Structure formats: structure tokens, C-alpha cells
Amino acid sequence: DLKLRFYELMIQYDLHEENFLEVCRHYNQVYTTPCIKEDAARWPAVLQNIILYLVLSPFDNAQSDMLHRFKQDHNLEKLELCAQLVKSFTTVELTRWPAVESIYGPEFRSTDVFSAQTDDGNKRWMALRDRVIEHNVRVIAAYYTRATIPRLTELLDLGADDVEAFLSKAVVSGTIYARVDRPAGVVSFAKPREGEEQLNAWASDVSKLLGLVEKTTHLIAKEEIVNKIARAI
């Protein structure tokens, strides 16, 4: 089939260029081909490759959107480890690299993607480690406003220098906001508000406070009226 042959060549090209998201798109074209989709012996390997190259792709809107779309694919439920891996990357929870190695290593290290027998396989396995750590950095930034470097080394299973390197990479890519106070050993993930935004927040707080005062005054007045009526009776 010319279509399958074409995408096979495109996969080889983009693998050479290490453009994993494009590799994933090519495999998706193969996956949606009727002769593959309807063949229970062929589609599992193709879908597995889609998932593995998808999680290897650097995080961005396109990668995230594609990952969530494949999470809804009913066939993914039949590939238990792939489904778990997708869930790990689409859930705002820490995924520790040692746990990933122990859970997925025995099976995935025997695939062509992460083969322990080839340099490319070993390189991609280390790239997966980086993606896991990058995911964890985003999770930490979502839940923490400030964290110490020692605490981050525990959460990310990294040394202090590597923690700063991954934080810097995430900040440069625009994925998170972070500022490192090296003397204090503290990382701040809270983005400072601009003047207008801060004033709007204060105005909103004042409005809420005045609303509570008005409601309290109304309830006190109501209680006084009830008490006067009760005494009159």
C-alpha cells in the first residue's frame, strides 16, 4: 500500500530528525488506515508507538491536545501500560522517575522505541526521564507558591544543580513562572501582579467586605425587630 509505504519513510525521516510529535502524527495516519484499524494483530503495535512517541514529544499545546484526544480512544484501554502512562501525563500529580522505571521499564525497554540494545533506544529512554521531570516541574508550579531547593530535590529526585537546570528550561519555554533566590535557597512560583491587576483585586476585596457588612447590618436589624415583636406579645 503506497500510503503505508509513504508514512513509513516519513517516520524514518522524522526519527532521524528527532521530531517525535511528527513521528506520532505519521503513526496516527497509519493507525487510521482501515487495513490497520480493522486488524487486531496490527493496530496495538501502532497505537503503542503513537503513545510512546507522544509522551517523548516536548510539552506544548499541540502535544497536550493530542495526548488528551488519545486518552479517549477506547482501544487504549486494551493496552494497560500505555493507558497508565497517558494517565500519568494527563493528571496533575507527581510521577516519580524511579517508579516509572520499575513499572514501565521491563516491557518498554524491549520495544524498538526504548530498546536497551541500541544507542537511540537508550537516548530516548533518557529523554522520557526528562519528560517525566518536566511534567513534575509543571505539577509543582501548579500547587506551590514557594518551595525550598532541598524540598524540590526530594520531589524531583534530582541534585540541586539539575533542579535549577530544569526550572530554567521550563521558564525559558514559557511553561511556568519561577524565580530562584539562591542565597535563601527558595524558589517562588507566584507571578507578581501588575499594578492594575493588584488594584482590581483590592477593589474586589473591598466590595466583598462591604457586602458582608451590609448583610450583617441587615441581619442585626431583622433580629432587633423580631425581639421587639416578641417583647410586645
Side-chain angles (χ1 to χ4, degrees):
D1 188 290
L2 290 177
K3 177 182 177 181
L4 296 181
R5 177 57 181 161
F6 169 76
Y7 282 110
E8 180 183 344
L9 294 174
M10 291 301 298
I11 288 168
Q12 292 178 14
Y13 171 77
D14 280 308
L15 276 177
H16 181 268
E17 297 295 317
E18 296 186 351
N19 193 345
F20 297 131
L21 189 59
E22 287 303 315
V23 171
C24 177
R25 287 179 174 137
H26 300 326
Y27 269 116
N28 187 37
Q29 291 296 326
V30 174
Y31 177 63
T32 55
T33 303
C35 66
I36 300 294
K37 191 86 170 180
E38 297 168 5
D39 190 341
R42 300 174 72 184
W43 69 256
V46 177
L47 181 56
Q48 177 175 277
N49 283 338
I50 290 174
I51 299 305
L52 296 185
Y53 284 114
L54 191 50
V55 297
L56 276 174
S57 304
F59 176 82
D60 60 18
N61 290 336
Q63 187 265 2
S64 178
D65 177 68
M66 204 167 185
L67 198 59
H68 280 84
R69 282 194 286 114
F70 273 104
K71 186 180 180 181
Q72 307 303 320
D73 191 318
H74 295 300
N75 283 336
L76 188 61
E77 299 171 2
K78 301 172 185 177
L79 304 178
E80 185 178 352
L81 280 182
C82 287
Q84 290 179 14
L85 187 61
V86 169
K87 183 178 179 181
S88 296
F89 277 90
T90 53
T91 305
V92 189
E93 295 178 359
L94 291 176
T95 302
R96 309 296 284 268
W97 174 245
V100 171
E101 277 191 302
S102 62
I103 295 171
Y104 304 106
E107 180 168 330
F108 288 163
R109 290 292 272 165
S110 62
T111 65
D112 290 337
V113 180
F114 296 120
S115 175
Q117 309 303 319
T118 65
D119 291 339
D120 286 341
N122 288 322
K123 187 176 180 181
R124 286 193 282 265
W125 185 248
M126 295 313 297
L128 178 63
R129 170 183 172 272
D130 290 350
R131 298 296 173 262
V132 169
I133 294 171
E134 289 163 6
H135 167 77
N136 289 339
V137 168
R138 294 193 296 274
V139 171
I140 291 170
Y143 285 116
Y144 284 76
T145 54
R146 297 172 78 247
T148 63
I149 294 293
R151 178 57 175 158
L152 292 176
T153 61
E154 293 176 12
L155 295 174
L156 297 174
D157 300 299
L158 295 172
D161 291 341
D162 289 333
V163 166
E164 284 199 31
F166 276 97
L167 286 174
S168 299
K169 185 178 179 182
V171 170
V172 170
S173 67
T175 305
I176 66 167
Y177 173 90
R179 289 291 182 271
V180 180
D181 184 346
R182 284 194 179 91
V186 173
V187 179
S188 174
F189 296 103
K191 189 174 183 179
R193 291 177 174 177
E194 295 183 358
E196 184 177 349
E197 186 179 1
Q198 185 67 57
L199 287 173
N200 288 336
W202 287 341
S204 176
D205 290 342
V206 169
S207 296
K208 289 178 182 178
L209 179 60
L210 291 175
L212 288 173
V213 170
E214 184 179 355
K215 184 177 180 180
T216 303
T217 303
H218 174 73
L219 290 174
I220 292 173
K222 181 179 178 182
E223 190 67 24
E224 288 177 345
I225 293 172
V226 170
N227 287 333
K228 288 180 180 178
I229 294 174
R231 285 198 298 269
I233 294 174

